[in-house]
Amino acid sequence: VTEKECFKSIHETYDEHDNHDWCHAISNSVICVASLLYGNGDYGKSICLANEAGFDTDCNGATVGSIFGMTHGADSVPEEWTKPLNNTLETSIFGVGTVRITDRVEKTLEQIEKIKAQSFIVQSTRDCIKTIFKYQFAQNSPLKTRKISRNIA
């Protein structure tokens, strides 16, 4: 399927003038995926395809840019897109105002590390519980006859 056929098909399947389709997750997810695929690893082309498709253009452009940056790394974003920002972001969040993008990146990475640590603790606890249950069942424990109401995944 060519790029042109793909985006034509999206417009034939969904109606961007419909109150539902223009901002629905499915239609816009399809646009984001198609933009990343047909952007062929080019940051600018990928974002432009997402915007040119119509529908929820600001969200789609931001989503495509974010996914592209996460998968290809910050260095893959050309300077023509980053330099005009001068490492600043004007937020509309009450009491926050202007922030440095690099500070937000650091804060995000800190949160990711916290989540990873919590996930490790949760996974370790699950593994421990599984081991206890396996041992109890293997030893013909009275636990074996109890009905377990919850599957530990």
Side-chain angles (χ1 to χ4, degrees):
V1 175
T2 68
E3 175 186 317
K4 187 175 180 177
E5 292 169 332
C6 177
F7 285 96
K8 182 179 181 210
S9 174
I10 293 169
H11 281 272
E12 289 171 350
T13 305
Y14 305 101
D15 179 6
E16 69 183 306
H17 302 291
D18 178 90
N19 286 335
H20 180 74
D21 284 354
W22 81 269
C23 68
H24 195 279
I26 295 173
S27 55
N28 288 289
S29 295
V30 171
I31 289 170
C32 290
V33 170
S35 299
L36 288 163
L37 289 173
Y38 289 100
N40 295 316
D42 181 305
Y43 181 81
K45 181 176 181 183
S46 299
I47 289 177
C48 288
L49 285 172
N51 282 287
E52 291 168 2
F55 293 80
D56 197 356
T57 58
D58 59 329
C59 291
N60 291 341
T63 300
V64 168
S66 297
I67 293 170
F68 190 99
M70 287 187 292
T71 56
H72 297 284
D75 292 338
S76 68
V77 180
E79 191 176 277
E80 67 188 79
W81 291 92
T82 59
K83 190 174 182 176
L85 299 175
N86 197 30
N87 194 29
T88 57
L89 175 67
E90 298 286 336
T91 73
S92 59
I93 301 169
F94 181 75
V96 175
T98 303
V99 296
R100 289 172 28 115
I101 295 171
T102 50
D103 291 344
R104 299 295 97 190
V105 169
E106 286 302 316
K107 189 169 181 97
T108 300
L109 292 173
E110 287 173 15
Q111 293 302 315
I112 289 169
E113 289 303 317
K114 286 180 184 177
I115 291 168
K116 283 169 51 178
Q118 290 171 351
S119 295
F120 174 76
I121 292 167
V122 168
Q123 188 59 45
S124 298
T125 304
R126 285 183 179 151
D127 291 344
C128 182
I129 292 169
K130 285 180 183 179
T131 302
I132 291 168
F133 272 95
K134 285 180 187 175
Y135 176 77
Q136 291 292 336
F137 287 120
Q139 300 299 317
N140 293 322
S141 165
L143 281 176
K144 205 172 193 180
T145 60
R146 290 186 186 171
K147 182 178 179 182
I148 299 173
S149 61
R150 185 172 156 192
N151 182 17
I152 300 172

